[in-house]
């Protein structure tokens, strides 16, 4: 045992400290922001339990990420027959009496198990990244054959369709981004790449005419015709922009008092960026964007040094997940994208979302730590 731990401390094992520090820094800032919201009474429903949940979730998430980083990702993907069905069952339970629709949400995408409430699509994201990475790594040589490409597309379309049926279109778009980033990172033929814009345009048209109702369409149309919104659809985004402007260059600080802050619906969750702008100003907002950009680029960089294609695909799935969340959330706040209910990673309130994002980082850390490693407690290079 002593010998095993000694080997863990050698150059044979390493962890991407920069990536882990960046996500923990975001989590600490998130906890401070949510503490400020509850302390100042900015939003009545946000009490001290929210920031405590965020802090505990950060600690649990960090431990989970470190544990996953020790485990060989090549072993994890082969357990797909356990976590993939489990994730699908959890999503399926949202159509039973255990599923519920959160106040202010458009979708019935949450589970209430009594002792915990969570969104099972968070688990499905991780399961999809692992299963699709495994599928690509096993079939990359044949992927450009029509039948094999069809099977890959069915694999990608399945979770997108299930989540869209829940009415959670924001998360469905996240799955689509993950699918495209992973697919393009493989040895896909230029013919498929050339056809992709046409396929995407067709899919967007189908969604617009066959799936979206008038309310969701108006959320998009109002972006092109601001002020033409008789139903008040853009009210939340207008408040968000007002909140950002009110923060000025350096912000109002964390404890300025409730009357000093502009109250935006879901300011602790999907619109946490508006409170960050008020508290830390333009400088703080740019600082957070830089940290989030660093996390995305670090994940992408780790994909380039992975020891095999499987590791690269896992990292590219994580990259697609992280990048799409950031772009869609901040774009929503800045009123260049519709309000679509996508949280800001490691910043928005939500215990299960925080833990699942740390688990995703754990997968990237596993790829990084096993890129040139001969031995650790859970893995020996002599093994498959």
């Amino acid at each position: 045992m002593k010998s095993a731990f000694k080997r863990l401390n050698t150059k044979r094992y390493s962890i991407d400290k920069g990536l882990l520090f960046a996500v923990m820094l975001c989590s600490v800032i998130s906890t401070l922001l949510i503490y400020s919201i509850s302390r100042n009474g900015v939003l009545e429903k946000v009490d001290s339990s929210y920031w405590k949940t965020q802090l505990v979730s950060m600690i649990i998430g960090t431990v989970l990420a470190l544990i996953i980083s020790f485990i060989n990702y090549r072993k994890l993907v082969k357990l797909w027959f356990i976590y993939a069905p489990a994730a699908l069952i959890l999503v399926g339970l949202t159509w039973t009496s255990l599923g519920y629709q959160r106040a202010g949400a458009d979708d019935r995408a949450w589970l209430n198990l009594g002792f915990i409430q969570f969104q099972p699509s968070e688990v499905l994201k991780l399961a999809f990244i692992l299963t699709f990475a495994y599928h690509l790594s096993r079939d990359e040589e044949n992927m450009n054959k029509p039948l094999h490409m069809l099977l890959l597309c069915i694999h990608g379309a399945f979770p997108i369709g299930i989540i869209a049926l829940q009415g959670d279109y924001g998360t469905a778009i996240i799955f689509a981004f993950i699918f495209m980033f992973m697919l393009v990172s493989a040895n896909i033929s230029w013919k498929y790449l050339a056809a992709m814009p046409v396929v995407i345009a067709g899919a967007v048209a189908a969604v617009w005419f066959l799936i979206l109702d008038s309310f969701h369409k108006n959320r998009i149309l109002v972006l092109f015709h601001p002020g033409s919104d008789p139903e008040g659809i853009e009210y939340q985004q207008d408040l968000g922009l007002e909140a950002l402007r009110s923060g000025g260059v350096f912000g109002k600080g964390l404890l300025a008092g409730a009357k000093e802050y502009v109250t935006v619906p879901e300011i602790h969750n999907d619109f946490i960026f508006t409170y960050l702008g008020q508290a830390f100003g333009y400088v703080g907002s740019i600082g957070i964007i830089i940290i989030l950009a660093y996390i995305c680029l670090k994940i992408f960089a780790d994909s380039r040094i992975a020891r095999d294609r499987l590791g690269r695909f896992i990292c590219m799935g994580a990259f697609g997940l992280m990048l799409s969340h950031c772009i869609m959330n901040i774009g929503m706040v800045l009123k260049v994208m519709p309000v679509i209910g996508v949280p800001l990673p490691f910043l928005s309130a939500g215990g299960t979302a925080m833990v699942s994002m740390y688990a995703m980082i754990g997968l990237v850390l596993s790829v990084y730590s096993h890129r040139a490693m001969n031995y650790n407690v859970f893995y020996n290079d002599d093994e498959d």
Side-chain angles (χ1 to χ4, degrees):
M1 180 65 71
K2 184 176 180 181
S3 174
F5 280 105
K6 184 177 180 181
R7 292 184 183 187
L8 280 173
N9 292 324
T10 68
K11 292 182 179 179
R12 292 179 179 180
Y13 178 81
S14 61
I15 193 168
D16 192 338
K17 299 181 182 66
L19 176 60
L20 185 59
F21 175 79
V23 299
M24 290 181 68
L25 178 60
C26 284
S27 301
V28 170
I29 293 171
S30 169
T31 304
L32 291 174
L33 290 172
I34 297 169
Y35 169 78
S36 174
I37 293 171
S38 65
R39 176 71 172 77
N40 291 324
V42 176
L43 199 62
E44 186 175 342
K45 70 176 182 179
V46 178
D47 55 30
S48 61
S49 66
Y50 279 77
W51 71 263
K52 292 175 182 177
T53 297
Q54 204 74 348
L55 180 61
V56 171
S57 299
M58 181 190 74
I59 295 171
I60 294 173
T62 302
V63 172
L64 179 61
L66 290 172
I67 291 173
I68 294 174
S69 74
F70 281 106
I71 304 173
N72 187 347
Y73 60 91
R74 293 188 290 179
K75 304 291 185 183
L76 285 174
V77 297
K78 293 180 181 179
L79 298 175
W80 64 267
F81 58 90
I82 297 176
Y83 53 75
L88 290 172
I89 289 171
L90 289 173
V91 172
L93 288 175
T94 60
W95 279 281
T96 70
S97 59
L98 295 175
Y100 78 102
Q101 183 173 335
R102 296 182 70 192
D106 304 325
D107 51 76
R108 184 184 175 89
W110 287 76
L111 281 181
N112 186 350
L113 302 181
F115 64 95
I116 189 173
Q117 299 174 352
F118 70 101
Q119 195 170 11
S121 61
E122 298 294 337
V123 180
L124 188 60
K125 288 175 187 175
L126 299 174
F128 176 65
I129 289 174
L130 288 172
T131 57
F132 195 58
Y134 191 42
H135 190 166
L136 279 173
S137 67
R138 300 270 296 186
D139 204 34
E140 190 175 16
E141 291 183 1
N142 300 309
M143 66 176 291
N144 290 309
K145 297 177 181 178
L147 178 59
H148 291 261
M149 179 57 68
L150 176 61
L151 292 174
L152 286 169
C153 289
I154 291 173
H155 190 157
F158 190 68
I160 296 172
I162 290 176
I163 299 302
L165 284 174
Q166 288 183 327
D168 189 356
Y169 300 125
T171 302
I173 293 172
I174 297 293
F175 274 100
F177 269 101
I178 296 170
F179 169 70
M180 286 191 294
F181 273 102
M182 294 179 73
L183 191 65
V184 171
S185 67
N187 290 324
I188 187 171
S189 169
W190 66 268
K191 296 178 182 179
Y192 290 111
L193 290 175
M196 194 170 289
V198 178
V199 174
I200 293 173
V204 170
V207 169
W208 180 266
F209 291 108
L210 302 176
I211 298 178
L212 297 183
D213 56 29
S214 59
F215 178 75
H216 290 100
K217 289 179 180 179
N218 288 335
R219 278 186 173 182
I220 298 172
L221 292 173
V222 77
L223 299 176
F224 301 97
H225 306 285
S228 62
D229 162 33
E231 298 179 3
I233 293 174
E234 59 184 328
Y235 171 73
Q236 188 177 15
Q237 288 176 299
D238 288 341
L239 270 181
L241 290 175
E242 180 186 345
L244 284 173
R245 286 192 292 266
S246 71
V249 177
F250 297 106
K252 305 169 184 176
L254 292 171
L255 300 174
K259 294 181 180 179
E260 297 297 321
Y261 301 100
V262 178
T263 301
V264 183
E266 297 301 316
I267 196 170
H268 64 301
N269 195 357
D270 296 344
F271 276 75
I272 189 73
F273 192 74
T274 65
Y275 194 75
L276 185 145
Q278 293 185 79
F280 299 135
Y282 175 80
V283 173
S285 300
I286 294 298
I288 283 294
I289 290 174
I290 290 173
I291 295 173
L292 292 173
Y294 172 82
I295 293 172
C296 291
L297 292 174
K298 203 73 177 69
I299 294 173
F300 182 80
D302 287 349
S303 76
R304 311 307 296 177
I305 61 173
R307 68 181 296 163
D308 55 22
R309 303 291 290 175
L310 175 61
R312 173 173 292 189
F313 296 144
I314 290 173
C315 287
M316 288 305 296
F319 174 72
L321 172 60
M322 185 73 190
L323 182 66
S324 56
H325 263 274
C326 293
I327 290 176
M328 291 173 67
N329 181 274
I330 296 176
M332 174 180 70
V333 171
L334 297 179
K335 205 177 177 180
V336 296
M337 297 191 74
V339 176
I340 205 164
V342 172
L344 192 58
F346 304 106
L347 288 159
S348 292
T352 52
M354 176 80 80
V355 172
S356 68
M357 290 300 289
Y358 267 100
M360 179 268 291
I361 292 297
L363 294 176
V364 178
L365 295 177
S366 175
V367 173
Y368 180 90
S369 64
H370 289 83
R371 70 196 188 284
M373 193 168 88
N374 293 321
Y375 176 84
N376 73 36
V377 172
F378 298 94
Y379 168 72
N380 189 320
D381 258 350
D382 294 333
E383 299 177 9
D384 176 30

